[in-house]
Amino acid sequence: MPANYRSANPRSANHSSGGFTLLELVVGITIFAIVMTLIVTTFLPIVHRQTQPIYQVRAAELGQAMLQEVMTRTFDQNSDRSGTTVAGKYPYCGAIAAGVSAEVSTGACSSILGPETGESYPQFNDVDDYNYFCAHPIAGDVLAAAQSLNTSLYQYYTVAVCVTNAPAFLGQATNRTDVAKQITVTVTTPAGESIPFTSYRSNY
C-alpha cells in the first residue's frame, strides 16, 4: 500500500478519533438522571429518618422544660401565693375547701384561661397564663433562652401550650373550674413533627 494512501471514507476516520455523538450524549445524560433519581429517592429518606431522633430528643428537652416551668406556678390567679396558713388553714380558691377543716376558700377562682391584663411572659404567675401560647406558640430559641439552654440548638422549633379545665381528672362535675387543669405542651420540630406532652395540676 502506498505511504501516502488515505482512507476512502474520511468520515469513519474522523469518527474513530473524535468525541461523543449527540445520541451518545443524550443516552448518557438519561442514564445519569435515572441513577441520580434512584440515589435521591433511596438515601434521602434514610438521612431524614436519621435526623428524627435528634429532633425528638431536643423536642423532649423543650417540652419537659416548659412543663416543669408551668407546674411551678400557682393553680389560679386567685390562689394564695404566700405558702402560709390563715388561722391554721390552707387557703385555696373556689369551693374545693368546703367542709374540709384544714382548708379555707379565698374566693372564686378566675374564670379567665390566659394571662390577666398587663401580664406577659416570662412573668406569668399561674398555670393558665400559659394558655396564651395555645394560639401564639413561642419560638424554641426564645424558650431556650428563658431556660438558659443553648439557643442555637432549638432554632426552628415552636412550642404551644394549651390549658383547659379538667375536673373529670379528679372525678368531679364537668362544669367545675376549681378542681384541676390539663396542660398540654406541643413541640413542633423543624421537620414538622408535632410531639405532645401532657400533665395535670390540681387545686393545691
Side-chain angles (χ1 to χ4, degrees):
M1 181 179 295
N4 62 353
Y5 173 79
R6 294 183 180 180
S7 172
N9 187 357
R11 291 181 60 190
S12 63
N14 291 338
H15 175 71
S16 62
S17 62
F20 297 104
T21 66
L22 178 60
L23 178 60
E24 290 170 336
L25 287 173
V26 171
V27 171
I29 292 172
T30 302
I31 294 174
F32 177 76
I34 293 172
V35 171
M36 288 304 297
T37 301
L38 290 174
I39 291 174
V40 170
T41 56
T42 301
F43 290 102
L44 278 186
I46 295 175
V47 173
H48 177 71
R49 287 195 296 271
Q50 289 176 336
T51 61
Q52 286 299 93
I54 298 175
Y55 288 156
Q56 291 167 355
V57 167
R58 292 179 180 170
E61 292 171 345
L62 283 179
Q64 292 299 323
M66 177 58 94
L67 267 183
Q68 290 175 5
E69 179 180 321
V70 175
M71 294 297 285
T72 63
R73 303 303 191 258
T74 58
F75 175 79
D76 188 79
Q77 178 69 19
N78 297 333
S79 295
D80 175 72
R81 295 188 176 87
S82 67
T84 60
T85 61
V86 177
K89 297 182 178 181
Y90 297 99
Y92 286 66
C93 72
I96 190 172
V100 182
S101 60
E103 301 170 358
V104 60
S105 176
T106 59
C109 292
S110 172
S111 60
I112 300 173
L113 288 176
E116 282 68 34
T117 303
E119 291 183 341
S120 60
Y121 185 75
Q123 287 79 37
F124 291 163
N125 56 15
D126 63 272
V127 167
D128 61 72
D129 285 345
Y130 289 84
N131 195 54
Y132 173 81
F133 293 132
C134 193
H136 310 88
I138 183 173
D141 53 350
V142 174
L143 176 59
Q147 298 289 336
S148 300
L149 299 173
N150 185 346
T151 57
S152 65
L153 298 178
Y154 303 98
Q155 293 180 346
Y156 313 114
Y157 289 79
T158 58
V159 182
V161 185
C162 296
V163 182
T164 58
N165 290 308
F169 175 65
L170 294 177
Q172 301 295 312
T174 57
N175 62 342
R176 295 285 297 272
T177 61
D178 57 356
V179 178
K181 291 174 182 175
Q182 176 180 297
I183 305 101
T184 301
V185 176
T186 303
V187 182
T188 302
T189 70
E193 181 182 10
S194 295
I195 305 175
F197 305 86
T198 300
S199 187
Y200 292 86
R201 174 64 185 274
S202 58
N203 189 354
Y204 63 89

